Amino acid sequence: MFSAKPMKPTFRSYLPPPQTDLKSNIEPPVKLEPKFLPGEIVVNEANFVRKCISTDSSQGDLWGRLICTNFKVSFIPQDPPPKQKSQLSHLLLGQHDISLTCLEQVVTVNDTRGKRKVLGSNKKLKFNPAELILYCKDLRVIRFCFDEAGPESAKKVCLAIAHYSHPADLNLLFGFEYQGLRYHHYKGDLVNGSTPRGGIQTPIFDCPSDWDREIKRTAASEWRVCSINQKYIISESLPEYIVVPVSLTDQDVKSYSLSFNDGRAPLWCWNHRNGSALVRMAGSTEPLNQRKTEQKIFTAITKSHPQRREVTVSDLDKALPNIQDIQSAFVKARQICTLDPFEESEERWLSSIENSRWLEYVRMFLKLSAEVVYSLDGKNVSVILLEEEDRDLNCVVSSLVQLMLDPHFRSLNGFQSLVQKEWVMAGHRFLDRCNHLKKNENKESPLFTLFLDCVWQMTNQYPAAFEFTEAYLTVLSDSMWIPFFSTFLFNSSKQCSQVLQDFAKNKAIPPTEDHTVIFPPVWKWSQQFSSRDQTLFNNPMYVGKGAACVQNGEVKSFQRSKKAFSSTVRISSTSQRNGLKGEEDTLQRRGSLISGLRGDFSPVKDESPAERFFRDWFSHPADLQGVLIPLVLPSHVVLWKLFFLRWVLEACIPKGGPATVYHKVSQLVDEIDTLQSKLRQYKGASPHSTPVPSPSGPPPGQRRMYFKASSADEPPTSPNVLNSSFPFNPVGNLCRRGVQGTPISKFLNGAKTWLSTETLANDTF
């Protein structure tokens, strides 16, 4: 007999082999179930839906249920996710959830011809959708396929998402239902929008005491709180309490307000320690009497100055782009960063970013704000920011000026009070500019996003000067699309008051209840994040008030470049003195100024006072608790990567990016905090007792840093969650085809934004 040679199998199975758990302690996978908030109901759903991860193939795609509720679009994967530590766990939204308010467009794709249709609230769908693409306002692009789903259920869930993402009325937003139920459930624990645990609360500026404290803090002794707008009888867009010069009576303010748009009397923002004031003002409704009324206002502001200095007016409508231009630039930048393929040449991709004009507009706002800083700090004159309606551009510039001048607003609580004062209470149209009801795209404009980008540019240049992180700025931006907070839902404080009065009546809430309790502002972060996740907002490099400023050490270099703010161009003056245009600086070529600026910062021939001010400022080490002026060359104002590229998986750098530095510095700060805690215990012990220091430092709930210091017996390691998108997770967002060495990879590795030959020749790298 002979042994037959075994035959080679002709069939190959592509199914994974069955898994057998040999260890009894391994738990079987738990089926995922949707999580709903109080008051949240399922409107429609579809099973066997595929969530697309890659455009090239279905490899890595997720299968599961697609659910539409009255609050969100939720995808429930049928397989449990890998056991990996989550970076940022949202208490209101899961990893695969999208708030309906966050949806920019709902697009369905025909299964036969690939025809796309944008769905609205009342539009019909004549074909069975093969795909659903969700374009989100936080720059996510999410795609679902209905290969195995029933055609009727696929059509119904698409129409439901489109309908509920276009609410007919503000009161139909889910936040009103949720906050009503939350109030009755937790009303015993709520005090002024915060639990009774204490701590610093962000001032809302809806009462005279908040304004009084701000007047005292800035030593604005020649200004007072005025209550003529109580019940909004003078202006529907101003707060009930405003700050005016002490030389003006209530009757004066009331009569002068009739000459301004919407009755918006000039609004005090801030006072410099030298006595100069920052004021914002709307345009006049009576051109014939404009000069007379304005002169009376200017005289009153001049009297409030200890040296009776004249007033300078900066016309923002003439100096800055309008809201439509800003919207157009943002749409182009979003298109380039989230939709266009990364296969073009480096010149094409990077120049496209520059040609969108978004970064140009960021530079313009920073530059003009620095001009105002020069007037207030260098010239010691009061400045009036003039805008036709005083509700858009003025919000950005007034906030940036105060951020540059006052270190209080660089703290976390101070920054939140700045937004509350200069945006919410000053009447920025958040409802219209965010287009929450999707009724008028002409009014939509990302003014607040532009402001946050400008703030990030400053934090990027002076990282130790700000108490908060870029993760905080990004989370604040995302919060605009969660309809649970009064901060971003209304066009004015009057609208907020009226809507919440009706809301309280409908929900059987006492009419005397504080509005910040029944519909809290976004500053109550415990609604969205755990205490530990909120530590991601804390900047470990922050040099607070009274702390020693390290000038020779280098966390990040604070030494000014010789090519500073004043050396880019001679900025055309947009100022007017007492309403009259002053001398305008002549615009010169960048190269001519650079060639005349010597390395020792010696004076330049024919140097203007403004250039001298900036040259002197940039020639000394930065005082992180003093005036901060940003660098505004094109190479200094860069793309905010965490905001624009965090969902792009191809742009994500594993174990790279700023998060790696944040991790190491956080551990170092946590170790210092632990050592200081032990030292305090030793010092506090009685002379005859033996101190027993805590082995682990402060309790976990009191730790300031997200990352804890490694113990002596633990090897230093980097968490697997660290990447350039940290603390966000790009997995689950739609990927695009990428090519090794494409512009995006070069850009993330430090390539300069594409500039003209002249700019590159004159720039200092």
Coordinates of all heavy atoms in Angstrom, one line a residue, residues 581-647:
K581 N -11.6 112.4 10.0 CA -10.5 111.6 9.6 C -9.2 112.3 9.8 O -9.0 113.5 9.5 CB -10.6 111.2 8.1 CG -11.6 110.1 7.8 CD -11.4 109.6 6.4 CE -12.4 108.4 6.2 NZ -12.2 107.8 4.9
G582 N -8.2 111.6 10.5 CA -6.9 112.1 10.7 C -6.0 111.8 9.5 O -6.4 111.3 8.5
E583 N -4.7 112.1 9.7 CA -3.7 111.8 8.7 C -3.6 110.3 8.6 O -3.5 109.6 9.6 CB -2.4 112.4 9.1 CG -2.3 113.9 9.0 CD -0.9 114.4 9.2 OE1 0.0 113.6 9.3 OE2 -0.7 115.6 9.3
E584 N -3.5 109.8 7.4 CA -3.4 108.4 7.1 C -2.0 108.1 6.8 O -1.3 108.8 6.0 CB -4.3 107.9 6.0 CG -5.8 108.0 6.3 CD -6.6 107.2 5.4 OE1 -6.0 106.6 4.5 OE2 -7.8 107.1 5.7
D585 N -1.4 107.0 7.4 CA -0.1 106.6 7.1 C 0.0 106.1 5.7 O -0.9 105.5 5.2 CB 0.4 105.5 8.1 CG 0.4 105.9 9.5 OD1 0.7 107.1 9.7 OD2 0.1 105.1 10.4
T586 N 1.1 106.4 5.1 CA 1.3 105.9 3.7 C 1.7 104.5 3.7 O 2.5 104.0 4.5 CB 2.4 106.8 3.0 OG1 3.6 106.7 3.8 CG2 2.0 108.2 2.9
L587 N 1.1 103.8 2.7 CA 1.4 102.3 2.6 C 2.7 102.2 1.8 O 2.8 102.7 0.7 CB 0.2 101.6 1.8 CG 0.3 100.1 1.7 CD1 0.2 99.5 3.1 CD2 -0.8 99.6 0.8
Q588 N 3.6 101.5 2.4 CA 4.9 101.3 1.8 C 5.2 99.8 1.5 O 4.5 98.9 2.1 CB 6.1 101.8 2.7 CG 6.0 103.3 2.9 CD 7.2 103.8 3.6 OE1 8.1 103.0 3.9 NE2 7.3 105.1 3.9
R589 N 6.1 99.5 0.6 CA 6.4 98.1 0.4 C 7.1 97.5 1.6 O 7.8 98.1 2.3 CB 7.4 98.1 -0.8 CG 6.8 98.3 -2.2 CD 7.8 98.3 -3.3 NE 8.5 97.0 -3.3 CZ 8.0 96.0 -4.0 NH1 6.9 96.1 -4.6 NH2 8.7 94.8 -4.0
R590 N 6.8 96.2 1.8 CA 7.3 95.5 2.9 C 8.8 95.5 2.9 O 9.5 95.7 3.9 CB 6.7 94.1 2.9 CG 7.1 93.3 4.1 CD 6.6 91.9 4.0 NE 5.2 91.8 4.0 CZ 4.4 91.5 3.0 NH1 5.0 91.2 1.8 NH2 3.1 91.5 3.1
G591 N 9.4 95.3 1.8 CA 10.9 95.2 1.7 C 11.6 96.5 2.1 O 12.6 96.4 2.7
S592 N 11.0 97.6 1.8 CA 11.7 98.9 2.1 C 11.8 99.1 3.6 O 12.7 99.6 4.1 CB 10.9 100.0 1.5 OG 9.6 100.1 2.0
L593 N 10.7 98.7 4.3 CA 10.8 98.8 5.8 C 11.7 97.8 6.4 O 12.5 98.1 7.3 CB 9.4 98.6 6.4 CG 8.5 99.8 6.3 CD1 7.1 99.5 6.9 CD2 9.1 101.0 7.2
I594 N 11.7 96.6 5.9 CA 12.6 95.5 6.4 C 14.0 95.9 6.2 O 14.9 95.7 7.1 CB 12.3 94.2 5.7 CG1 10.8 93.7 6.1 CG2 13.2 93.1 6.2 CD1 10.5 93.6 7.5
S595 N 14.4 96.4 5.1 CA 15.8 96.7 4.8 C 16.3 97.8 5.8 O 17.5 97.9 6.1 CB 16.0 97.1 3.4 OG 15.2 98.3 3.1
G596 N 15.4 98.7 6.2 CA 15.8 99.8 7.1 C 15.8 99.4 8.5 O 16.2 100.2 9.4
L597 N 15.2 98.2 8.9 CA 15.1 97.8 10.3 C 16.4 97.0 10.6 O 16.6 95.9 10.2 CB 13.9 97.0 10.5 CG 13.5 96.6 11.9 CD1 13.3 97.8 12.8 CD2 12.3 95.7 12.0
R598 N 17.2 97.6 11.5 CA 18.5 97.0 11.8 C 18.3 96.0 12.9 O 17.3 96.0 13.7 CB 19.5 98.0 12.2 CG 19.9 99.0 11.1 CD 21.2 99.6 11.4 NE 21.1 100.5 12.5 CZ 20.7 101.8 12.4 NH1 20.4 102.3 11.2 NH2 20.7 102.6 13.5
G599 N 19.2 95.1 13.1 CA 19.1 94.0 14.0 C 19.0 94.5 15.5 O 18.5 93.8 16.4
D600 N 19.5 95.6 15.8 CA 19.5 96.1 17.2 C 18.3 96.9 17.5 O 18.2 97.6 18.5 CB 20.8 97.0 17.5 CG 20.8 98.2 16.5 OD1 20.0 98.3 15.6 OD2 21.7 99.0 16.7
F601 N 17.3 96.9 16.6 CA 16.0 97.6 16.8 C 16.2 99.1 16.9 O 15.5 99.8 17.6 CB 15.2 97.1 18.0 CG 14.7 95.7 17.8 CD1 15.4 94.6 18.2 CD2 13.4 95.5 17.2 CE1 14.9 93.3 18.0 CE2 12.9 94.2 17.0 CZ 13.7 93.1 17.4
S602 N 17.2 99.6 16.3 CA 17.4 101.1 16.3 C 16.3 101.7 15.5 O 15.7 101.1 14.6 CB 18.8 101.4 15.7 OG 18.9 100.9 14.4
P603 N 16.0 103.0 15.7 CA 14.9 103.7 15.1 C 15.1 103.7 13.5 O 16.2 103.8 13.0 CB 15.0 105.1 15.7 CG 15.7 104.9 17.0 CD 16.7 103.8 16.8
V604 N 14.0 103.6 12.8 CA 14.0 103.7 11.4 C 13.7 105.1 11.0 O 13.0 105.9 11.7 CB 12.9 102.8 10.8 CG1 12.9 102.8 9.3 CG2 13.1 101.3 11.3
K605 N 14.3 105.6 9.9 CA 14.1 106.9 9.4 C 12.6 107.1 9.1 O 12.0 106.3 8.5 CB 15.0 107.2 8.2 CG 14.9 108.6 7.7 CD 15.8 108.8 6.5 CE 15.8 110.2 6.0 NZ 16.7 110.4 4.8
D606 N 12.1 108.3 9.5 CA 10.7 108.6 9.2 C 9.8 107.6 9.9 O 8.7 107.3 9.4 CB 10.4 108.7 7.7 CG 11.2 109.8 7.0 OD1 11.5 110.8 7.7 OD2 11.5 109.6 5.9
E607 N 10.1 107.1 11.1 CA 9.3 106.1 11.8 C 8.1 106.8 12.4 O 8.3 107.9 13.1 CB 10.2 105.5 12.8 CG 9.5 104.3 13.5 CD 10.4 103.7 14.6 OE1 11.1 104.4 15.3 OE2 10.4 102.4 14.7
S608 N 7.0 106.2 12.2 CA 5.8 106.8 12.8 C 5.7 106.5 14.3 O 6.3 105.5 14.7 CB 4.5 106.3 12.1 OG 4.3 104.9 12.4
P609 N 4.9 107.2 15.1 CA 4.7 106.8 16.5 C 4.2 105.4 16.7 O 4.6 104.7 17.6 CB 3.8 107.9 17.0 CG 3.9 109.0 16.1 CD 4.2 108.5 14.7
A610 N 3.3 105.0 15.8 CA 2.8 103.6 15.9 C 3.9 102.6 15.7 O 4.0 101.6 16.5 CB 1.6 103.4 14.9
E611 N 4.7 102.8 14.7 CA 5.8 101.9 14.4 C 6.8 101.9 15.6 O 7.3 100.8 16.0 CB 6.5 102.2 13.1 CG 5.7 101.9 11.9 CD 6.4 102.3 10.6 OE1 7.1 103.4 10.6 OE2 6.2 101.6 9.6
R612 N 7.0 103.0 16.1 CA 8.0 103.1 17.3 C 7.4 102.3 18.5 O 8.1 101.6 19.2 CB 8.2 104.5 17.7 CG 9.3 104.7 18.7 CD 9.5 106.2 19.1 NE 9.7 107.0 17.9 CZ 8.8 107.9 17.4 NH1 7.7 108.2 18.1 NH2 9.1 108.6 16.4
F613 N 6.1 102.4 18.7 CA 5.4 101.7 19.8 C 5.6 100.2 19.6 O 6.0 99.5 20.6 CB 4.0 102.1 19.9 CG 3.1 101.3 20.8 CD1 3.1 101.6 22.2 CD2 2.4 100.2 20.3 CE1 2.4 100.8 23.0 CE2 1.6 99.4 21.2 CZ 1.6 99.7 22.6
F614 N 5.3 99.7 18.4 CA 5.4 98.3 18.2 C 6.9 97.8 18.2 O 7.2 96.7 18.7 CB 4.7 97.9 16.9 CG 3.2 98.1 16.9 CD1 2.6 99.0 16.1 CD2 2.4 97.4 17.8 CE1 1.2 99.2 16.1 CE2 1.1 97.6 17.9 CZ 0.5 98.4 17.0
R615 N 7.8 98.6 17.7 CA 9.2 98.3 17.7 C 9.7 98.1 19.1 O 10.4 97.2 19.5 CB 10.0 99.3 16.9 CG 11.5 99.0 17.0 CD 12.3 100.0 16.1 NE 12.0 101.4 16.6 CZ 12.6 102.0 17.7 NH1 13.4 101.3 18.4 NH2 12.3 103.2 18.0
D616 N 9.3 99.1 20.0 CA 9.8 99.1 21.4 C 9.2 97.8 22.1 O 9.8 97.2 22.9 CB 9.3 100.3 22.1 CG 10.1 101.6 21.6 OD1 11.2 101.4 21.0 OD2 9.6 102.7 21.9
W617 N 7.9 97.6 21.8 CA 7.3 96.4 22.4 C 7.9 95.1 22.1 O 8.2 94.3 22.9 CB 5.8 96.4 22.1 CG 5.0 95.5 23.0 CD1 4.4 95.8 24.2 CD2 4.8 94.1 22.8 NE1 3.8 94.6 24.7 CE2 4.1 93.6 23.9 CE3 5.2 93.2 21.7 CZ2 3.7 92.2 24.0 CZ3 4.8 91.9 21.9 CH2 4.0 91.4 22.9
F618 N 8.2 94.9 20.8 CA 8.7 93.7 20.3 C 10.2 93.5 20.6 O 10.8 92.4 20.5 CB 8.5 93.5 18.8 CG 7.1 93.0 18.4 CD1 6.2 93.9 17.9 CD2 6.7 91.7 18.6 CE1 4.9 93.5 17.6 CE2 5.5 91.3 18.3 CZ 4.6 92.2 17.8
S619 N 10.9 94.6 21.1 CA 12.3 94.5 21.4 C 12.6 94.1 22.8 O 13.7 93.9 23.2 CB 12.9 95.9 21.1 OG 12.4 96.9 22.0
H620 N 11.5 93.9 23.6 CA 11.7 93.5 25.0 C 11.0 92.1 25.2 O 10.1 91.7 24.4 CB 11.1 94.5 26.0 CG 11.8 95.8 25.9 ND1 11.4 96.8 25.1 CD2 12.8 96.3 26.7 CE1 12.2 97.9 25.3 NE2 13.0 97.6 26.2
P621 N 11.4 91.3 26.2 CA 10.7 90.1 26.5 C 9.3 90.3 26.8 O 8.9 91.3 27.3 CB 11.5 89.5 27.7 CG 12.8 90.2 27.7 CD 12.6 91.6 27.1
A622 N 8.4 89.3 26.4 CA 7.0 89.4 26.6 C 6.7 89.4 28.1 O 7.2 88.5 28.8 CB 6.3 88.3 25.9
D623 N 5.9 90.3 28.6 CA 5.3 90.2 29.9 C 4.0 89.5 29.8 O 3.0 90.1 29.3 CB 5.2 91.6 30.5 CG 4.5 91.6 31.9 OD1 4.3 90.5 32.5 OD2 4.2 92.7 32.4
L624 N 3.9 88.3 30.2 CA 2.7 87.5 30.0 C 1.5 88.0 30.9 O 0.4 87.6 30.6 CB 3.0 86.0 30.3 CG 4.1 85.4 29.5 CD1 4.2 83.9 29.8 CD2 3.8 85.6 28.0
Q625 N 1.8 88.8 31.8 CA 0.7 89.5 32.6 C 0.5 90.9 32.2 O 0.0 91.7 33.0 CB 1.0 89.3 34.1 CG 0.8 87.9 34.6 CD -0.7 87.4 34.4 OE1 -1.6 88.1 34.8 NE2 -0.9 86.3 33.8
G626 N 1.0 91.3 31.1 CA 0.9 92.7 30.6 C 0.2 92.7 29.2 O -0.5 91.8 28.8
V627 N 0.6 93.7 28.4 CA 0.0 93.8 27.1 C 0.6 92.7 26.2 O 1.8 92.4 26.2 CB 0.4 95.2 26.5 CG1 -0.1 95.3 25.0 CG2 -0.3 96.3 27.3
L628 N -0.2 92.1 25.4 CA 0.3 91.0 24.4 C -0.2 91.5 23.0 O -1.3 91.8 22.8 CB -0.3 89.7 24.7 CG 0.2 88.9 25.9 CD1 -0.4 87.5 25.9 CD2 1.7 88.8 25.8
I629 N 0.8 91.5 22.1 CA 0.5 91.9 20.7 C 0.9 90.7 19.8 O 2.0 90.3 19.9 CB 1.3 93.2 20.3 CG1 0.8 94.3 21.2 CG2 1.0 93.5 18.9 CD1 1.6 95.6 21.0
P630 N 0.0 90.3 19.0 CA 0.3 89.1 18.1 C 1.1 89.5 16.9 O 1.1 90.6 16.4 CB -1.1 88.6 17.7 CG -1.9 89.9 17.7 CD -1.4 90.7 18.8
L631 N 1.9 88.5 16.5 CA 2.6 88.6 15.2 C 1.6 88.4 14.1 O 0.8 87.4 14.1 CB 3.8 87.6 15.1 CG 4.8 87.8 16.2 CD1 5.6 86.5 16.4 CD2 5.8 88.9 15.8
V632 N 1.6 89.2 13.0 CA 0.6 89.1 12.0 C 1.1 88.9 10.6 O 0.4 89.1 9.6 CB -0.3 90.3 12.0 CG1 -1.1 90.4 13.3 CG2 0.5 91.6 11.8
L633 N 2.4 88.5 10.5 CA 2.9 88.1 9.1 C 2.2 86.9 8.7 O 1.7 86.1 9.5 CB 4.4 87.9 9.2 CG 5.3 89.1 9.2 CD1 6.7 88.6 9.4 CD2 5.2 89.8 7.9
P634 N 2.0 86.6 7.4 CA 1.4 85.4 6.9 C 1.9 84.1 7.4 O 1.2 83.2 7.6 CB 1.5 85.5 5.3 CG 1.7 87.0 5.1 CD 2.4 87.6 6.3
S635 N 3.2 84.1 7.7 CA 3.8 82.9 8.2 C 3.6 82.7 9.7 O 3.8 81.6 10.2 CB 5.3 82.9 8.0 OG 5.9 84.0 8.5
H636 N 3.1 83.8 10.4 CA 2.8 83.7 11.8 C 1.4 83.3 12.0 O 1.1 82.6 13.0 CB 3.1 85.0 12.5 CG 4.5 85.4 12.5 ND1 5.0 86.6 12.2 CD2 5.6 84.7 12.8 CE1 6.3 86.7 12.3 NE2 6.7 85.5 12.6
V637 N 0.5 83.7 11.2 CA -1.0 83.3 11.3 C -1.2 82.1 10.5 O -1.2 82.1 9.2 CB -1.8 84.5 10.8 CG1 -3.3 84.1 10.9 CG2 -1.6 85.8 11.7
V638 N -1.4 81.0 11.1 CA -1.4 79.7 10.5 C -2.8 79.0 10.6 O -3.6 79.5 11.4 CB -0.3 78.8 11.0 CG1 1.1 79.3 10.7 CG2 -0.5 78.5 12.5
L639 N -3.0 77.9 9.9 CA -4.2 77.2 10.0 C -4.4 76.6 11.3 O -3.5 75.9 11.8 CB -4.3 76.2 8.9 CG -5.6 75.5 8.7 CD1 -6.7 76.4 8.1 CD2 -5.5 74.2 7.8
W640 N -5.6 76.7 11.9 CA -5.9 76.1 13.2 C -6.2 74.6 12.9 O -7.3 74.2 12.6 CB -7.1 76.8 13.8 CG -7.5 76.3 15.2 CD1 -6.8 75.4 16.0 CD2 -8.6 76.7 15.9 NE1 -7.4 75.2 17.2 CE2 -8.6 76.0 17.2 CE3 -9.7 77.6 15.7 CZ2 -9.6 76.2 18.1 CZ3 -10.7 77.7 16.6 CH2 -10.6 77.0 17.8
K641 N -5.1 73.8 13.1 CA -5.2 72.4 12.7 C -6.2 71.6 13.5 O -7.0 70.7 12.9 CB -3.8 71.7 12.8 CG -2.8 72.4 11.9 CD -1.4 71.8 12.2 CE -0.3 72.6 11.5 NZ 1.0 72.2 11.8
L642 N -6.3 71.8 14.8 CA -7.2 71.0 15.6 C -8.6 71.2 15.2 O -9.5 70.3 15.2 CB -7.0 71.3 17.1 CG -7.8 70.4 18.0 CD1 -7.3 68.9 17.9 CD2 -7.6 70.9 19.5
F643 N -8.9 72.5 14.9 CA -10.3 72.8 14.5 C -10.6 72.3 13.1 O -11.7 71.6 12.8 CB -10.6 74.3 14.6 CG -11.9 74.7 14.1 CD1 -13.0 74.6 15.0 CD2 -12.1 75.2 12.9 CE1 -14.3 75.0 14.6 CE2 -13.4 75.6 12.4 CZ -14.5 75.5 13.3
F644 N -9.8 72.6 12.1 CA -10.1 72.3 10.7 C -9.8 70.9 10.3 O -10.4 70.4 9.3 CB -9.3 73.3 9.8 CG -9.9 74.7 9.7 CD1 -9.4 75.7 10.5 CD2 -11.0 74.9 8.9 CE1 -9.9 77.0 10.4 CE2 -11.5 76.2 8.9 CZ -11.0 77.2 9.6
L645 N -8.9 70.2 10.9 CA -8.4 68.9 10.4 C -8.6 67.8 11.4 O -8.1 66.6 11.2 CB -6.9 69.0 10.1 CG -6.5 70.0 9.0 CD1 -5.0 70.1 8.8 CD2 -7.2 69.6 7.7
R646 N -9.3 68.0 12.5 CA -9.3 67.0 13.6 C -10.1 65.7 13.1 O -9.9 64.6 13.6 CB -9.9 67.5 14.9 CG -11.3 68.1 14.6 CD -11.9 68.7 15.9 NE -12.9 69.6 15.6 CZ -14.0 69.8 16.3 NH1 -14.1 69.2 17.5 NH2 -14.9 70.7 16.0
W647 N -11.1 65.9 12.2 CA -11.9 64.7 11.8 C -11.3 64.0 10.6 O -11.9 63.0 10.1 CB -13.3 65.2 11.5 CG -14.0 65.9 12.6 CD1 -14.5 67.2 12.5 CD2 -14.3 65.5 13.9 NE1 -15.0 67.6 13.7 CE2 -14.9 66.6 14.6 CE3 -14.0 64.3 14.6 CZ2 -15.3 66.5 15.9 CZ3 -14.4 64.3 16.0 CH2 -15.1 65.3 16.6

